Amino acid sequence: MEIKVLHQVMEWNQDVSSQVRQTLKGHKVCLINFMGSPGAGKTSLIVELIRRLRSEYSIGVIEGDIAGQIDADRIAALDIPAVQLNTDGACHIEAMSIQNILPCFNLDQLDVIFVENIGNLVCPAEFDIGENFRITILSIPEGDDKVAKYPLMFTDTDCLVLNKCDMLPYFDFDVERVTGDYRGVNPQAPLFLVSTRNGQGMEELTERIRGQIRAFLQ
Amino acid sequence: MEIKVLHQVMEWNQDVSSQVRQTLKGHKVCLINFMGSPGAGKTSLIVELIRRLRSEYSIGVIEGDIAGQIDADRIAALDIPAVQLNTDGACHIEAMSIQNILPCFNLDQLDVIFVENIGNLVCPAEFDIGENFRITILSIPEGDDKVAKYPLMFTDTDCLVLNKCDMLPYFDFDVERVTGDYRGVNPQAPLFLVSTRNGQGMEELTERIRGQIRAFLQ
């Protein structure tokens, strides 16, 4: 599968995210924004969700990276339409970039677009890219103090995934501390303990996302 | 030990980093800037370096965080002068903040200031804070594709630390890939394979930093 590579224009337009949302609503395409630190496992999670959802929904992927197309190559290998968005140094994706990319997809043939944001626990949380649903991924090796230290990423999300939970025996990570901190800033949104490597928690998470997509498409 | 908490003013002044460097040179204080993703182990590395260097050098620490003072508490517990810099959402430290903080220290009684930057593999690399020496920390669980995906952090550094190397058996991490990518963008700077948990590689790294401080103070 061919990969298109686009470069982010560093303009900011507050109206663009609602335009993106409107366009996608018109085509009945649900946009899900995946955010987290470098190495949290965003691409692996997207790959696992594609495996579990592709028989039900037609999926496309936008891979945000500062440089290169390592992640888009992984997605395209699954024969899923993938666009690599290179920000050329910028630390987050903006709605303007999503708007510029949408014509690369045949929106009438898609149900869902997964957007993998830049690996960064800070800046992406500040930018509405027109998504319908945000997922924050925190991996066990990053430590259990991250909600307190990077609050916005956990406050402004619809779902928290604690990934690499197969690594819990090897790290001093207190799941209850993170759960408590998360509940403190975001009482409503769910939390899933997941390992993309051994599949733990993936069924529950997939069911949740399936429900969100279904609710949107109705 | 009492912790001062300051808030970063979001102004940018290109001259400030050289002013900071000049001030520190006048007082013979070496500034070292520690950068890396959330959870890479920056604070643990600083704690271990303090343990190994405090008998030779008088050390102060500036702890950069979006919010809270978890890390400064850890440093102050060692009876080391620590200032918590809260950026209130900003994704990096700027030289202006360092300049505002310097009067909190008695510079004539210090040899070294360690600055722990915001956990972020992108933005901090773009900002010269007046440091004499940069250290980039990448931890094994983050994955071996990070040099290719976040090049500036590895290009503009004086030293790369691969931390949590005790975790190599549990992750698919190719040290040679990272080493090769790093050599490709930064042929001169050294690389250290380290575990702050079991001490592996810490002696070699400490010796390198000791040499840098000594060279500066001469």
Side-chain angles (χ1 to χ4, degrees):
Chain A
M1 172 112 7
E2 189 207 357
I3 299 172
K4 297 190 182 72
V5 179
L6 299 182
H7 291 258
Q8 176 160 291
V9 181
M10 286 305 290
E11 296 174 61
W12 173 244
N13 185 336
Q14 285 191 296
D15 298 329
V16 177
S17 60
S18 52
Q19 289 172 20
V20 167
R21 204 169 273 114
Q22 204 58 39
T23 300
L24 291 171
K25 193 178 175 191
H27 292 274
K28 290 203 162 229
V29 178
C30 178
L31 193 78
I32 304 182
N33 184 3
F34 291 78
M35 302 184 291
S37 296
K42 294 180 291 302
T43 318
S44 297
L45 185 66
I46 287 172
V47 166
E48 288 304 310
L49 288 171
I50 288 170
R51 278 204 326 121
R52 286 168 167 82
L53 291 169
R54 67 185 303 168
S55 66
E56 302 157 61
Y57 299 115
S58 177
I59 302 171
V61 175
I62 297 172
E63 279 294 338
D65 276 298
I66 307 264
Q69 60 180 70
I70 293 171
D71 292 340
D73 286 338
R74 265 177 87 180
I75 302 298
L78 305 172
D79 206 31
I80 290 282
V83 176
Q84 178 73 53
L85 168 63
N86 282 152
T87 62
D88 300 330
C91 52
H92 61 274
I93 294 178
E94 297 183 14
M96 180 75 75
S97 298
I98 302 297
Q99 193 177 46
N100 289 338
I101 284 172
L102 290 183
C104 298
F105 293 102
N106 184 339
L107 294 179
D108 290 325
Q109 290 185 2
L110 283 185
D111 302 311
V112 187
I113 296 177
F114 292 153
V115 179
E116 180 175 343
N117 219 308
I118 304 297
N120 184 332
L121 208 55
V122 188
C123 317
E126 296 175 37
F127 292 86
D128 177 0
I129 61 169
E131 70 271 32
N132 304 107
F133 194 64
R134 285 185 168 196
I135 298 179
T136 294
I137 300 145
L138 175 70
S139 63
I140 300 306
E142 293 174 65
D144 56 17
D145 57 356
K146 294 300 171 291
V147 179
K149 290 164 86 172
Y150 303 87
L152 190 64
M153 187 57 86
F154 300 89
T155 309
D156 282 4
T157 192
D158 302 298
C159 178
L160 174 59
V161 174
L162 293 182
N163 192 23
K164 307 191 190 181
C165 72
D166 53 311
M167 289 294 137
L168 278 169
Y170 308 111
F171 290 90
D172 303 322
F173 188 100
D174 183 349
V175 173
E176 286 187 16
R177 176 181 178 185
V178 168
T179 307
D181 287 352
Y182 178 54
R183 284 282 153 261
V185 298
N186 195 340
Q188 302 299 331
L191 178 153
F192 296 91
L193 203 57
V194 161
S195 165
T196 55
R197 188 190 264 179
N198 70 19
Q200 188 185 329
M202 279 303 301
E203 271 313 307
E204 295 83 350
L205 174 64
T206 306
E207 184 52 35
R208 173 78 185 193
I209 293 172
R210 183 182 284 123
Q212 295 285 340
I213 298 171
R214 194 184 299 136
F216 173 83
L217 292 179
Q218 270 173 0
Chain B
M1 169 109 13
E2 190 205 357
I3 300 172
K4 296 188 183 73
V5 178
L6 300 181
H7 291 260
Q8 176 160 292
V9 181
M10 284 306 289
E11 295 175 63
W12 172 245
N13 185 336
Q14 286 191 296
D15 298 329
V16 177
S17 60
S18 51
Q19 289 171 20
V20 167
R21 203 168 274 114
Q22 204 58 38
T23 301
L24 291 171
K25 193 178 174 189
H27 291 275
K28 290 202 164 228
V29 178
C30 179
L31 192 79
I32 304 181
N33 184 3
F34 291 78
M35 302 184 291
S37 296
K42 295 180 291 302
T43 317
S44 298
L45 186 66
I46 287 172
V47 166
E48 287 304 311
L49 289 170
I50 287 170
R51 279 206 323 120
R52 286 169 167 82
L53 291 168
R54 67 185 303 169
S55 65
E56 302 158 60
Y57 299 114
S58 178
I59 302 170
V61 175
I62 297 172
E63 279 294 338
D65 277 297
I66 307 263
Q69 61 180 68
I70 294 171
D71 292 340
D73 286 338
R74 265 178 87 181
I75 302 298
L78 305 172
D79 206 32
I80 290 283
V83 176
Q84 178 74 52
L85 167 64
N86 282 151
T87 62
D88 300 329
C91 52
H92 61 274
I93 294 177
E94 297 183 14
M96 180 75 75
S97 298
I98 303 297
Q99 193 177 46
N100 289 339
I101 284 172
L102 289 183
C104 298
F105 293 103
N106 184 339
L107 294 180
D108 290 326
Q109 289 184 5
L110 284 186
D111 301 310
V112 187
I113 296 177
F114 292 152
V115 179
E116 180 175 342
N117 219 308
I118 303 298
N120 184 332
L121 207 55
V122 188
C123 317
E126 295 175 37
F127 292 87
D128 177 1
I129 61 169
E131 70 270 32
N132 303 107
F133 194 65
R134 286 184 167 197
I135 298 179
T136 295
I137 300 145
L138 176 70
S139 63
I140 300 305
E142 292 174 67
D144 56 17
D145 57 356
K146 294 300 172 289
V147 179
K149 289 163 87 172
Y150 302 87
L152 191 65
M153 186 58 87
F154 300 89
T155 309
D156 282 4
T157 191
D158 302 298
C159 179
L160 174 59
V161 174
L162 293 182
N163 191 24
K164 308 192 191 181
C165 72
D166 54 311
M167 289 294 137
L168 278 169
Y170 307 110
F171 290 89
D172 303 321
F173 188 100
D174 182 349
V175 173
E176 287 188 14
R177 177 181 178 186
V178 169
T179 307
D181 287 352
Y182 178 54
R183 285 282 151 260
V185 299
N186 195 340
Q188 302 296 332
L191 178 152
F192 296 91
L193 203 55
V194 161
S195 166
T196 55
R197 188 190 265 179
N198 70 19
Q200 187 184 331
M202 279 303 302
E203 270 314 307
E204 295 82 350
L205 174 64
T206 306
E207 184 52 36
R208 173 79 186 194
I209 293 172
R210 184 182 283 122
Q212 295 284 341
I213 298 170
R214 193 184 300 135
F216 173 83
L217 293 178
Q218 269 172 0

